[in-house]
Amino acid sequence: MSDKLKPDWAGDDLLSRLVNLMIQTKPIYRVMKHQARQVIIKTAEKNGISWRDNCQVLEQSPAKSLLSQITNPNVTYPDYYLLPFHAYDEGNLCWQAAFEAMSATQSLGLRIWKNENLTWEVAQERLRNSFHDILDSYSPPIVNNILDIGCGVGVSTKTLHSYYQKRQDNLSVQTIGLDLSPYMLAVAKVTDENQEIDWKHGLAEGTEFEDNSFDVVTLQFILHELPRQATKAIFQEIRRILRPGGVLGIVDNNPGSKVIQNLPAALFLLMKSTEPWSDDYYTFDVEKALIELGFDYQITLPSDPRHRTIVATKSEALHSYGMIYN
């Protein structure tokens, strides 16, 4: 961890303002967006991830035929979700984003331990377990219902579900993956080999789930994609649907990470060009917001060299444990 609270290229620092000016210059932005995409694809393929082949397999899968079935016609997309991000003009509301998301997720771990000779599978397992192990320390003794918000194509959801199933000697766990992109959810459903997860198209700020419905709720690599007002609204909703004693687990980029703070100029330019809410995220006091909204904040830990895990529980947790589990 660094003594600095955030990178110099985020927030209102001079460097950040210069980067933002470049991003707002359309010809430069188009080049940056193209380069960001190429860097991601080349990194993946160099490390044994068959980016193009994976996309082709999904294009030929039944995913497209599931779109109308999985789409919730009552969903109204918030303005922030309609902005270009992740190098896609339509954001996550397109097939290209959905078909490429699996490969992009597989390559995520490789960027963390780039100096180690790891396969993407080993890196991915290490990434997920580092989060699960911290979350587990604050979870209720028995977990019956899990919600993974912003589940995308479901990699985070399936690994989370599997972790708690094994933790409880395969005692049945009901897990829901919630996302705003029906395209992502169609891919999640078609790649859910055991059909163990319930995939839901819906708004995180208003899930429509009943009060006190979940023992565990997670936000995995989602907050950096949100304006802080949306994050606060989602926190309020999570507190409503968590059971007393339930746990909220957040994993995302760590503003205090030396790796992130010391990214080469070319890389932070490319990264920031694909993430429109970077300044908001890196200057947002997540822990303070959780406390102000009534959570019992527990801990923030660097779960790997680039990411942090934040854990909070629903207030009155200790009393709930005493009544329910003793």
Side-chain angles (χ1 to χ4, degrees), residues 14 23 49 63 68 75 89 106 114 121 123 133 150 212 215 230 242 276 284 299:
L14 176 60
I23 292 171
I49 297 169
S68 59
V75 167
D89 290 338
Q106 290 172 353
K114 61 182 180 179
E121 292 92 343
D133 289 345
N212 308 316
D215 301 298
L242 265 181
F284 179 44
I299 199 167

Side-chain angles (χ1 to χ4, degrees), residues 202-234:
L203 191 66
E205 294 93 322
T207 64
E208 300 185 356
F209 296 121
E210 294 183 1
D211 294 358
N212 308 316
S213 294
F214 297 96
D215 301 298
V216 173
V217 177
T218 61
L219 291 161
Q220 301 187 52
F221 305 104
I222 298 302
L223 294 197
H224 71 276
E225 298 177 355
L226 300 172
R228 67 182 64 193
Q229 288 308 118
T231 298
K232 289 179 181 179
I234 292 168

Side-chain angles (χ1 to χ4, degrees), residues 84-103:
F85 68 98
H86 285 179
Y88 306 106
D89 290 338
E90 304 92 341
N92 279 348
L93 293 172
C94 65
W95 284 118
Q96 186 180 30
F99 290 154
E100 293 187 337
M102 189 70 71
S103 295

Side-chain angles (χ1 to χ4, degrees), residues 37 64 97 126 138 152 202 222 238 278 280 305-306 318:
R37 179 174 161 72
K64 289 185 177 180
R126 188 187 289 186
Y138 297 90
I222 298 302
I238 290 172
S278 289
D280 224 25
R306 289 179 68 114
L318 293 177

Side-chain angles (χ1 to χ4, degrees), residues 134-135 137-138 248 250 287 290 296-302 308-313:
I134 297 171
L135 182 64
S137 299
Y138 297 90
L248 165 62
I250 301 165
E287 294 88 346
L290 289 168
D296 185 1
Y297 165 68
Q298 297 293 332
I299 199 167
T300 300
L301 286 174
R308 63 178 175 180
T309 291
I310 301 172
V311 178
T313 53

Side-chain angles (χ1 to χ4, degrees), residues 42-77:
K42 287 179 182 177
T43 300
E45 293 188 331
K46 185 176 71 175
N47 288 281
I49 297 169
S50 302
W51 187 286
R52 291 170 177 83
D53 290 344
N54 291 346
C55 292
Q56 189 173 31
V57 168
L58 289 170
E59 286 173 0
Q60 296 171 354
S61 76
K64 289 185 177 180
S65 66
L66 296 174
L67 185 65
S68 59
Q69 171 189 329
I70 211 160
T71 298
N72 178 356
N74 297 317
V75 167
T76 299
Y77 296 105

Side-chain angles (χ1 to χ4, degrees), residues 135 139-140 143 145-147 160 164 214-218 242 246-247:
L135 182 64
S139 297
V143 170
N145 300 92
I146 296 172
L147 175 64
L160 183 69
Y164 279 96
F214 297 96
D215 301 298
V216 173
V217 177
T218 61
L242 265 181
V247 61

